[in-house]
Structures are given as C-alpha cells and as structure tokens.
Amino acid sequence: MVGNDLKTKIKEVAVNHFNRDGYYGATIRNITRDVDCSLPMVYYYYQSKKDLFHEIIKKDYFDLLKRQAELINEKTILDFYIEFVFKINFLSDYEKKVYRLGVKVYLSFDGDEELMEMMDKWEESIIPRHYQIVSPYLKDIQEEGKKMVIVRTLVHLLENLIEQIVVKNRSLSKNEIREELSLIIGNI
C-alpha cells in the first residue's frame, strides 16, 4: 500500500476506532496495528491523533454534508427535505461512520475543545440557513416568531431523523420521512 491508498486506509481504520473507542480511547498505536503499517508511516501523514481526527471532521464530515445538499434538486420544500434525509440511507458504511462522528462532536460527546467550538459556530448558522430555504414558503405567516418556531422545529426533527439513520443504523423509508416532516412543513 502506498500514497493515497495508505492514507485512505489509515482514515478508514481510524474512523472505526474513533466510533468504537471515542476520541480519547482511540490510539495511534492501535490504529497502526490494524492498518498493518509502522508508526512513522502514520505520522508521515498525520502529526498526531488530533490532526487525524480533525481531518476526518473538518474535511470528510463537512464535505459529506456539502455533497448531500448538492444532490437535492426537488421542486417542493417537503420533497427537498424528504430527499435530503432519504439519501442519507444510501451513504457508504464509511460515510455513515464519519457522519456519526460528526454528530457526536456536534452533540459535544466526543472530540476536543477546538472542534466543539467549530461545531458551535457551525450550529449558529443552521437556523439561518434553513430559514433562508423555508422562508419563501412561509409568506402567509406574518409573525417572524412563528416562522422561527417552524424552522427550529424543522431543524430538530431533521436532526432526529438523521440520528436515527446514522447513529441507530435504522433505514427510513420516504413514507416514514414524509409522515414526520409533513407535521411541520406539509402545509407550506
């Protein structure tokens, strides 16, 4: 194994270790053993366990979120969100594990302070992003407070559905997703 193949293998094995043992329980030595390479080879690509974990979250996790959002081209707001959640069912095993790590950091269950601060800043942007998406469909609602309640409720529901798929390993059908989301955005 050379070059990008080894780097990819290191990340795949590391994602398994971080999911199983957590950020603090995973060790470079155990990752190295399971990759079947030397410690210096891992340190050639990553200066530390922190660098490895940060690349998985900062690059792989956020790239995954971006790719998922770009795949959606539905016409109605309900169909947009149904497709967004439904497509998560079809992520690769590796992508689901990366997503699971991202959720754990987002919920402050794992990772370090720097990543948690980054996730806090990202979290601050979630409601405004979804508000931009949903707002054009809320023209009949005049009160801003009601619009924000709808968007916050939608975001919490999305988080719950996504956690069912990536954390609980449950597959959700379009109908199940539609039933849930229809409660919030079915009439807009």
Side-chain angles (χ1 to χ4, degrees):
M1 231 181 308
V2 292
N4 284 338
D5 290 343
L6 181 57
K7 186 175 183 179
T8 299
K9 178 72 173 172
I10 291 167
K11 282 198 330 187
E12 288 172 355
V13 169
V15 163
N16 287 332
H17 280 261
F18 289 133
N19 267 285
R20 186 185 65 226
D21 304 327
Y23 175 72
Y24 293 103
T27 67
I28 292 292
R29 187 169 303 284
N30 289 340
I31 293 167
T32 301
R33 181 196 66 228
D34 289 352
V35 172
D36 195 26
C37 72
S38 66
L39 273 170
M41 275 315 290
V42 173
Y43 287 119
Y44 173 78
Y45 293 108
Y46 304 100
Q47 292 180 350
S48 64
K49 175 174 75 170
K50 177 181 175 177
D51 286 346
L52 175 57
F53 192 78
H54 278 229
E55 181 171 320
I56 291 166
I57 299 300
K58 289 179 177 178
K59 183 181 181 320
D60 294 6
Y61 176 68
F62 283 106
D63 284 353
L64 175 60
L65 293 179
K66 184 179 176 188
R67 279 194 323 271
Q68 285 301 108
E70 289 171 349
L71 292 174
I72 311 302
N73 59 3
E74 297 299 324
K75 302 293 183 225
T76 71
I77 193 70
L78 181 58
D79 288 336
F80 171 84
Y81 282 110
I82 289 168
E83 279 301 309
F84 180 80
V85 174
F86 184 68
K87 287 182 185 281
I88 293 171
N89 285 310
F90 302 101
L91 295 176
S92 70
D93 187 47
Y94 174 78
E95 291 169 323
K96 283 185 179 178
K97 288 176 183 176
V98 168
Y99 214 128
R100 191 175 304 126
L101 285 177
V103 167
K104 288 167 74 175
V105 173
Y106 172 70
L107 296 174
S108 300
F109 292 151
D110 214 346
D112 60 17
E113 235 176 85
E114 182 183 338
L115 281 179
M116 288 180 197
E117 286 175 17
M118 183 189 78
M119 284 293 197
D120 287 344
K121 288 178 184 168
W122 177 73
E123 182 180 24
E124 290 171 8
S125 73
I126 292 173
I127 299 293
R129 271 198 323 262
H130 287 281
Y131 187 84
Q132 279 186 310
I133 294 169
V134 176
S135 185
Y137 300 92
L138 300 175
K139 292 176 186 168
D140 294 342
I141 299 173
Q142 301 301 315
E143 190 179 323
E144 285 299 310
K146 285 185 180 181
K147 289 181 182 181
M148 287 306 287
V149 168
I150 290 169
V151 172
R152 281 193 180 102
T153 305
L154 172 63
V155 168
H156 291 302
L157 179 56
L158 290 169
E159 289 171 348
N160 179 272
L161 293 170
I162 291 166
E163 287 170 14
Q164 286 183 52
I165 296 169
V166 298
V167 176
K168 295 182 178 180
N169 269 333
R170 185 168 172 242
S171 183
L172 297 178
S173 71
K174 282 188 179 183
N175 285 336
E176 289 173 301
I177 298 165
R178 181 178 303 280
E179 285 175 9
E180 297 280 340
L181 291 175
S182 290
L183 295 171
I184 308 300
I185 57 176
N187 295 323
I188 59 173

